[in-house]
Amino acid sequence: MEEVKLNGFELVYKKPSTLTETPFHYCPGCGHGIIHKILMEVIEETNIQDKVIGVAPVGCSVFAYNYMDIDMQEAAHGRASAVATGIKRVLPEKYVFSYQGDGDLAAIGTAETIHTVNRGENILIIFVNNAIYGMTGGQMAPTTLKGQITSTSPFGREMKSAGYPLKITELIAQLPGAYFVTRQSIHTANAIRKLKKAILKSFEYQKLNSGTCFIEVVSNCPSGWKLTPLESLKWMEENMFPYYPLGDLKVPQN
Amino acid sequence: MEEVKLNGFELVYKKPSTLTETPFHYCPGCGHGIIHKILMEVIEETNIQDKVIGVAPVGCSVFAYNYMDIDMQEAAHGRASAVATGIKRVLPEKYVFSYQGDGDLAAIGTAETIHTVNRGENILIIFVNNAIYGMTGGQMAPTTLKGQITSTSPFGREMKSAGYPLKITELIAQLPGAYFVTRQSIHTANAIRKLKKAILKSFEYQKLNSGTCFIEVVSNCPSGWKLTPLESLKWMEENMFPYYPLGDLKVPQN
Amino acid sequence: MDKNIQEVKLMKGNEALAESAIRAGIQAYFGYPITPQSEILEYFSRELPGRGKIVLQAESELAAINMIYGASGAGARVMTSSSSPGISLMQEGISYIASAQLPCLIVNVNRGGPGLGTIQPSQGDYMQAVKGGGHGDYHLIVLAPASVQEMADFVFDAFRLAEKYRNPAMILADGALGQMMEKVILPEEGSLPKRESKWATTGKTASRERNIITSLFIEPEKMERINFELQDKYKKLQDEVRFEEIETEDAEILLAAFGLAARVCQKAIELAREKGIKAGLIRPITLYPFPYKKIEKLADKASSFIVVEMNSGQMVEDVRLAVNGKCPVEFTGRMGGMIPSPDEVLAKIEEISKKINSLSTNEAGR
Amino acid sequence: MDKNIQEVKLMKGNEALAESAIRAGIQAYFGYPITPQSEILEYFSRELPGRGKIVLQAESELAAINMIYGASGAGARVMTSSSSPGISLMQEGISYIASAQLPCLIVNVNRGGPGLGTIQPSQGDYMQAVKGGGHGDYHLIVLAPASVQEMADFVFDAFRLAEKYRNPAMILADGALGQMMEKVILPEEGSLPKRESKWATTGKTASRERNIITSLFIEPEKMERINFELQDKYKKLQDEVRFEEIETEDAEILLAAFGLAARVCQKAIELAREKGIKAGLIRPITLYPFPYKKIEKLADKASSFIVVEMNSGQMVEDVRLAVNGKCPVEFTGRMGGMIPSPDEVLAKIEEISKKINSLSTNEAGR
Amino acid sequence: MQKAHEIIFAGFGGQGVLSMGQILAYAAMIENKEISWMPSYGPEMRGGTANCIVIVSPEKISSPIVNRFDSGVLLNQPSIEKFEHTIKPGGLLLYEESSIVNPPKRTDIEVLSIPAILEAQKLNKKQVANIILLGAFLEKRPLVKTENIISALKKVLPERHHHLIPVNESALSIGKKLAAEEAIETEKKK
Amino acid sequence: MQKAHEIIFAGFGGQGVLSMGQILAYAAMIENKEISWMPSYGPEMRGGTANCIVIVSPEKISSPIVNRFDSGVLLNQPSIEKFEHTIKPGGLLLYEESSIVNPPKRTDIEVLSIPAILEAQKLNKKQVANIILLGAFLEKRPLVKTENIISALKKVLPERHHHLIPVNESALSIGKKLAAEEAIETEKKK
Amino acid sequence: MIKGTVVINKNICKGCELCIDACPQESLGLSGQINISGYRFAELIQDNCTGCINCAIVCPDAAITVYREPKAKAKT
Amino acid sequence: MIKGTVVINKNICKGCELCIDACPQESLGLSGQINISGYRFAELIQDNCTGCINCAIVCPDAAITVYREPKAKAKT
Ligand SMILES: Cc1ncc(C[n+]2csc(CCOP(=O)(O)OP(=O)(O)O)c2C)c(N)n1
Ligand SMILES: Cc1ncc(C[n+]2csc(CCOP(=O)(O)OP(=O)(O)O)c2C)c(N)n1
Ligand code: SF4
Ligand code: SF4
Ligand code: SF4
Ligand code: SF4
Ligand code: SF4
Ligand code: SF4
Ligand SMILES: [Mg+2]
Ligand SMILES: [Mg+2]
């Protein structure tokens, strides 16, 4: 990082240059902001800004391209991994990632997600699981927990009719096309440092052309959950981690 | 079975009455015919002809309703399980099954398949895996084996680009909504007897309203494989069984 | 339920539509969230389970429309709803439903397109709705409400027509009609007769042949017969044409508009008449069947039509087909989520009226 | 490669189209099998890998069209192909591609619908192709070949137009054109200039701003501006109108038909002229942009139009819009996979010609 | 009043601007007036500002969305930036004092600054600030009778909050008082 | 010949009916005639019967699909049922003898029965039965020169099968001979 | 040993030979004739059928009906 | 102990308090004022910042810049 001085003090952290000046439109305390920032830190530190193409989903992060100062495409709802496949196949030398929410990746996009990984497309899929449809106002997601109240599960998610919270990452880890599969979160500075490492690794792995890297980030949605940001992190730890345990699900064999 | 005499001999086997008089249009030795027949034997023996609704896929078995003498719906390609969901939800007292090929269930229908089972819809899904797209002339299916030659993998299925043979039944077995998941085949009389038992059980389980029953049938496609019927069974045993091992993947816990 | 008392309520269009559907006796709703109509799914999620009816948030619009296929084929009164991109995803399923002749209701709360576009109100899906967005020769019955009251009322009309003709029906609304609150008197529960479909797949009893729901007819001769059936049905449907006329009797300039745009036109007409311009409005209520005959008649008296739409000019083609050259057909509209203001429409009216007068004076001059 | 020698070949329409696409330098094909066009994917599966190009059998048409979005957005010359039901599944993606203004080729080898229908040849998807099957105000560039030769040639035209106007192009063929063999001279490899798209997402170099491919413009004002851009483009496209005229100079009765139907009409015209009836044919080659002006002119001289289609009468609306009441516009056609025979068309010609003559004699009588 | 009155209510989410509009709409309904209430709607996460357009009219309402307003009730700075210029000449602009750094500058409309939040804190019920503003608005533009606002409140508030009706009533009258005084003030200034 | 000649080839899949048509089409192409070859296509599994329509014409061909034919070459019973009545009066119907139980009954067309399979077995090359029939057809309807059929074969057959050209040549001439004799036979019968 | 026999519907048989392969008694074979669909069809070639119904179970076209000598009778 | 300090961009801060919670030194708090977006924003409330950058890492709006006294200087 270049040396900037503030009355003799050294700069030790500043917003990455790979983020634009546009302030995030996200609600206060939303994990999307944290993940965007960390992702762009990695892009900056690995110097691949000119070699990376990102795919934004339809979801709260639909505007990701307003913030990430890289070439990006905005995909149809659920099709981000298909769009990423199209890009990577014609630009095999470039780094390609998709950034998707749980509704996008695990509901409407289920087929594209599974087949993209099954083909072992050499891309990184970042899966932001906040157990709800944030953008559309807090409806039930495939990852919504048992009994969790949302605008479309007003009496709490009920298995008999709405089905079970879908652990799609566990399914993904089964596919031979998956090279690195991990579940991380953003509830503490250290968790965020771990997430950053996972992203860093994934871009290194992408050079190897040996399969898909898949990072689930258990995240929050204060607005959808109707909690303050701090409450939301607590709720996440108490309710989401037990069902979506953090850690690596599949690590490269060699 | 009613007593019919042939010069003093007793009838011990005849085509089930739940099959219409229309001869199958299937190619010689095709497993679809065997599976249709066995399925209709179960319907006949359990006396549920008036309580069962079947869903035919788009695939060679698209004409199933010409042969099965029960109420049926013909679904759009890949959507049979969604159609079955629609039927079962409004007719919860009836027995509902979908009958789908590998292209239908594991390619274009992946999302519907996974979410139908994840919701634990109380239906039976019969998944006929012949590792190829039969109806359209022998193209590669998600289940096509490594190196297998098809009209769209003329040099043999190659992982780097086409991805890996998809063991969707193994994924299905992971879902809490799945109640009974098994893989059977049709290569011998005994295998067919086992398959029949599995179908019988599945209809019994459907009364319990405790989740989806899923039966994969490893089957053949002499035409698509460009083999004689007998060769096709041999090829199936030698090549498909090792990758798609027969047996129960999930049995009811109780 | 005091719901049945004819009391005036203040409701959002989306919620009035949903409550009306409950009163129309729907047995199941299958849908997927999308702005600006998620309130429909949310309303059902609150209200249906308690009444022993089915509400299911599908994994996608694609799944939802095929659940509709199954449920309607099984004899149930069912509906789905979405907005533009979601409706596009349903096109294959809609073509299947039309071909298999399954009655159901599909609601499109139109937003600005193309693509992801914007979530603001639009009428950009007119062509998709009336000319068939899916493959093959089929038509939906399409009703276009222009108020919260009609959002509620047309649910009953849609089911009545859909079940009478064994044809899918669509209510084509827009984001504003879905989101806004207006006064509404809801239709009475139970006032719509139960659906009866002997052809439905409910289990083959000994007393009848098996029932089959399909859209596959591999021999082209057979497929053509099915198509003739459909075309006959569409001819019969012409009897169901509905429209609203406002001050058309003496109108020199006739506005043609549907849905929200028609309301803007109504205001514009008042303003025009204040300025002494004889303007009137024809509002197609059924977009399919389209009131060709009526408009053709009106064209005999009018000196010009002005079609006003919240799109690039889609219904204008149907108006031109009806007018068939008898008089000029002008167009004005806004796109991508914008709503024309009464003043904009007035300006167009004045422009055209000047044209007409100058023409007539010229003629007088000769 | 001897491929480049201008030799006459005998090829299936589907394969001629695929080979032509290779010569047009496509970098990738994404598709999913469906009759009657699977030969396209199969041909590419044999030919592309050896040439270091991409052929990918997607998990569905839905995935395929979105792969096209990504690949075209990344600057590559790409195409997909399918038949009616598969094309319906692509409608959301097509609307996105049109909105994001991504050049690409989509081939629809039309089969009989609606629904699963039949796999026999049809023109039932005309409306979907030209009026927008997806949501919002957009148009595809639509080319309609009528021979195996044109199946090959139009691939080059489609890419040229698509890339010139940053707009998706469609080749609307039918099952017969795809399956039949005819003589064909394939276009020369390398005769189409490389695609250049400075706006493509290829990695943001220091020397430029980042490139973004999107169809989302949440403020309606912005979305409307995008729509104006699109509408301007569609106006410009009118310069690209193409059609074929056959014996129109002295024609009393003008047939209008596209694709395979036009070939049937050609035969019918010969038969009619043998019987002394002055018949001619206008064949739109670009279905969008549609030759309105040309047909309007022709309407001045002709006493009647007869539109002949392999559907219930879809293009007939565009012909009526062009003729705008100047003379009657009749229709005859077959549906659901049936092809009209020259004799059927001749019969219609004779019927109309009688009508006309009786009229004129009546007038003479006065 | 014989013609339609078109009002924009705008502020931060959570300041109760949507319900202000709804209460007015309900009251107008009780008086058998024609009404439309059109909320701004957008992707959830854009949060921040919210607004609604309310039209009260003796006759059928054409477009529920208009771009120029007879009155504006604005609760934050962004709303001032966005809507000050949309008020018709001779129209009314009410704004919440404490939230505004740069007050409106127009002179061709009546501009009133109401310390609603301050007054609400005095009632130690911050939530009624919007009702105070509504009161102030009605003082200047008596579109509906006060008693109907109260009955409207009964409709809008869930049963369990009906004990809040009294404090809302006082909020209303405070608002009216403030508006009356403010008006005189501004007169004096001239 | 000045007008288009429309032929239907039909039989079981595997009897080589599609290639018969293709070979004729190639030969016609060599002679710079206009041609169209239209195969029946359907869901794979319906298997069984296959057919193709070949049109050879001096001028541009309009519809590649016609319902009435100048000639028919039919290799199995179902094809007879399906196509016998579609031959134009005065037309030609050739069929493979051994496969047919109920032969055609029409008298307004020329009907020839050719023991192609039998003769092919004599050549012990069952696969050339279709070429024998093609030869027979060309004897009756010389649409193209025999040498061009040979060159067409070279085009259609993959290199590795070119050693089969000779046997195909003899098959052709056998067909021609059979047709000639058969014709005389039928004459006699009258 | 129990005696049985089978009746094969030659018109719908497709000659796939699965029954022939499945028969423990090798009682079945393909006929030299072809049926209306052009298939050689299966037929009994020995009188040693035991009525085990294996052939009927594996027949994809449900073309086989199986009969068996009644136990009673067998004993005598 | 190393001395550090932070600069918070009050205009983009949304007052989510994640930084406040993440600060081991409890150096941060919410201001009484609100910014143009109507949010109370975070600010330094004690001069005990060690420049550990935790706050900056957790900040969803990348509103925080962190500085630290150079080691060298610290030693003297
Ligand atoms: C085809 C289609 N269906 C539905 C929508 C509406 N929609 C937009 S975002 C979204 C879900 C967002 O949830 P998620 O993917 O979890 O992202 P989040 O906002 O929670 O980050 C939906 C249903 C759409 N835009 N397109
Ligand atoms: C939307 C759509 N895409 C493609 C097709 C074409 N199609 C028909 S069946 C089929 C696949 C059949 O394979 P499978 O499901 O394995 O069934 P099988 O024939 O092998 O039994 C395809 C791709 C279609 N009818 N509809
Ligand atoms: S709605 Fe939820 S996910 Fe979306 S920005 Fe707000 S907090 Fe984040
Ligand atoms: S194509 Fe294959 S799957 Fe289809 S009927 Fe023939 S053998 Fe069976
Ligand atoms: S019943 Fe058993 S023994 Fe008899 S033929 Fe069949 S398989 Fe052979
Ligand atoms: S199994 Fe059935 S179809 Fe196959 S040969 Fe035997 S009888 Fe014929
Ligand atoms: S840098 Fe560390 S110590 Fe300083 S304010 Fe931030 S978190 Fe607290
Ligand atoms: S974390 Fe960032 S946004 Fe949140 S309060 Fe601290 S500085 Fe403000
Ligand atoms: Mg989410
Ligand atoms: Mg298959």
Side-chain angles (χ1 to χ4, degrees), chain E residues 72-92:
Chain E
V73 181
L74 311 177
L75 282 72
N76 67 4
Q77 193 64 50
S79 308
I80 301 267
E81 319 301 343
K82 189 159 177 209
F83 294 111
E84 177 179 2
H85 69 279
T86 65
I87 307 298
K88 301 175 189 167
L92 169 69

Side-chain angles (χ1 to χ4, degrees), chain D residues 272-309:
Chain D
R273 293 218 167 231
E274 283 168 15
K275 299 193 167 199
I277 303 174
K278 290 211 182 97
L281 168 68
I282 169 83
R283 171 170 79 99
I285 288 173
T286 52
L287 301 183
Y288 190 90
F290 189 79
Y292 290 110
K293 289 205 191 61
K294 178 65 194 179
I295 292 177
E296 190 185 350
K297 264 208 219 66
L298 289 171
D300 295 329
K301 309 181 297 163
S303 20
S304 179
F305 273 82
I306 303 174
V307 181
V308 181
E309 301 180 71

Side-chain angles (χ1 to χ4, degrees), chain D residues 8-10 12 35-36 119-121 175-176 179-183 260 263-264 266-267 270 339-342, chain F residues 4 6 22 25-26 29 32-39 41-43 59-65 67 155:
Chain D
V8 182
K9 290 174 167 293
L10 185 66
K12 274 192 162 202
T35 310
I119 56 184
Q120 300 307 313
Q179 292 296 323
M180 69 194 277
M181 278 184 150
E182 281 188 318
K183 292 195 291 189
L260 192 69
R263 291 179 60 157
V264 178
Q266 208 172 326
K267 183 78 177 186
E270 294 161 22
I339 299 178
S341 71
Chain F
E6 303 166 332
Q22 275 191 28
Y26 268 109
M29 178 172 80
N32 290 311
K33 298 197 165 68
E34 291 299 322
I35 35 174
S36 78
W37 174 88
M38 180 78 218
Y41 62 96
E59 70 224 348
K60 201 145 170 287
I61 292 160
S62 60
S63 175
I65 300 187
N67 316 331
K155 268 190 177 298

